[in-house]
Amino acid sequence: MWTIRAFEQGLEELFQRGLLHGTMHLSIGQEAVATGVCGALAEGDLITSTHRGHGHCLAHGADPERMMAELLAKESGYCKGRGGSMHIADVSRGNLGANGIVAGSMTIAAGAALAQQQQGSDAVVVCFFGDGAANEGAFHEALNLAGIWDLPVIYVCENNQYGMSMATARAAAGNDIAGRGAAYGLPGTKVNGNDILAVREATLEAAARARAGEGASLIEAVTYRYRGHSKSDRNLYRTREEITEWRDERDPIDAFTRYCTEHEVLSEQEITAASQRGKDTIKEAVAGAMTGAEPDPTELAGAAYAANPGMEGAA
């Protein structure tokens, strides 16, 4: 969680200094979801991510320097600087990719889970999606297939309570995304998404169910994003008091820190050291990424089209 937060705070600083262009979607305040879910997965398990996916990638083992290089449009980035924030993939580590389309990864995850099932693998696929995606048609299609085929997939809804500027309570009928699992024969669980241990426990249970051949699960992790939807969002649809309350009283890192000290899991010194390691990791990632080569403009078409040997040399 410390590394994810430091990564995104680093992005904000680069953006403010004019070194990072375009836009990005930050998940500051939501770190317990990505960390709790990915911490419950096993080697070989797969994930799909969203437009707000920096935390998912890092929690599933992505290299911070390659991620930073991707956002800085460097050749050393995961997509050679062509994909940017919303398209980071690392198939070698089981990250099938982020997706800039809301609900775009839901059917991809169902397909990946079907592939694992047909291959006889015990791997589980996790599909992260936001509360806004729960109102898209792909949500129904994916959960229906997962239900009728008992696919080894866990659908994890990060309910940060706002779809762009629309409050979830005004957009989602019934205001109970976890409860929608019943329509597809899936167990639906709502957890405190700012409690990393609760998220981890729900994921472990869902993963065990999937590995036992009992099918898919739906988890709704209720959390909160402190920043706007994207860098162009001025946050005018909610009050500063609301944001302050979540940040000061329900922050996931503060909550985990309190748990660790109260239960003597970590000392104050160990907590400080862990936090500093996260900051140092990102500081080194920024420095390394900044030295990366710029993409070669003559290779731009190669990032969009497959090579056609029969057309080589054609005018």
Side-chain angles (χ1 to χ4, degrees):
M1 289 196 288
W2 285 294
T3 302
I4 293 171
R5 182 160 299 184
F7 182 89
E8 296 204 314
Q9 289 175 334
L11 292 181
E12 283 189 309
E13 182 179 343
L14 290 171
F15 193 89
Q16 290 165 359
R17 292 169 59 192
L19 298 173
L20 195 153
H21 304 286
T23 191
M24 57 187 172
H25 305 79
L26 302 178
S27 62
I28 295 176
Q30 302 179 202
E31 296 89 349
V33 181
T35 311
V37 169
C38 291
L41 300 183
E43 186 75 24
D45 288 342
L46 308 171
I47 70 166
T48 63
S49 182
T50 71
H51 58 281
R52 200 179 307 282
H54 304 146
H56 310 149
C57 296
L58 289 167
H60 204 54
D63 178 356
E65 182 174 325
R66 287 192 67 190
M67 284 183 62
M68 196 63 75
E70 181 60 35
L71 273 83
L72 289 168
K74 300 290 187 179
E75 187 72 19
S76 54
Y78 270 109
C79 303
K80 297 187 175 182
R82 274 77 155 181
S85 171
M86 292 189 281
H87 301 95
I88 293 174
D90 186 0
V91 177
S92 67
R93 291 180 180 269
N95 179 357
L96 302 182
N99 199 310
I101 300 173
V102 173
S105 65
M106 300 200 72
T107 49
I108 294 173
L114 176 61
Q116 299 307 312
Q117 186 186 66
Q118 292 189 338
Q119 293 171 23
S121 163
D122 69 348
V124 168
V125 181
V126 166
C127 174
F128 290 102
F129 66 101
D131 44 276
N135 301 322
E136 296 284 343
F139 174 89
H140 163 74
E141 297 171 27
L143 268 67
N144 185 60
L145 286 176
I148 59 173
W149 290 341
D150 291 329
L151 297 179
V153 58
I154 306 169
Y155 285 99
V156 179
C157 176
E158 282 183 290
N159 182 355
N160 64 22
Q161 306 189 49
Y162 288 93
M164 292 188 72
S165 59
M166 175 69 75
T168 304
R170 297 179 58 197
N175 199 24
D176 181 17
I177 294 170
R180 295 183 181 184
Y184 309 97
L186 313 182
T189 304
K190 181 179 288 190
V191 298
N192 177 357
N194 282 10
D195 182 344
I196 185 174
L197 299 179
V199 174
R200 174 183 164 81
E201 185 62 30
T203 308
L204 284 171
E205 184 176 332
R209 170 181 158 80
R211 293 190 214 285
E214 297 174 8
S217 299
L218 172 62
I219 297 172
E220 178 185 0
V222 180
T223 181
Y224 194 82
R225 62 170 159 81
Y226 300 156
R227 303 297 193 262
H229 170 73
S230 66
K231 294 307 294 181
S232 60
D233 183 351
R234 297 174 60 195
N235 249 336
L236 300 179
Y237 46 85
R238 54 183 175 173
T239 65
R240 289 190 178 277
E241 289 75 16
E242 178 184 300
I243 299 171
T244 300
E245 178 191 351
W246 277 86
R247 187 182 59 216
D248 292 353
E249 299 179 17
R250 310 188 201 185
D251 182 80
I253 295 178
D254 289 346
F256 182 63
T257 299
R258 282 195 300 273
Y259 174 88
C260 288
T261 53
E262 289 171 4
H263 292 79
E264 299 182 350
V265 176
L266 295 173
S267 67
E268 294 281 357
Q269 291 78 13
E270 289 171 323
I271 291 170
T272 300
S275 175
Q276 190 59 48
R277 276 198 302 276
K279 294 175 183 175
D280 291 344
T281 296
I282 301 309
K283 185 177 180 180
E284 293 170 6
V286 172
M290 294 289 281
T291 64
E294 302 292 334
D296 183 349
T298 64
E299 297 181 359
L300 184 61
Y305 303 103
N308 185 343
M311 296 298 290
E312 288 180 354

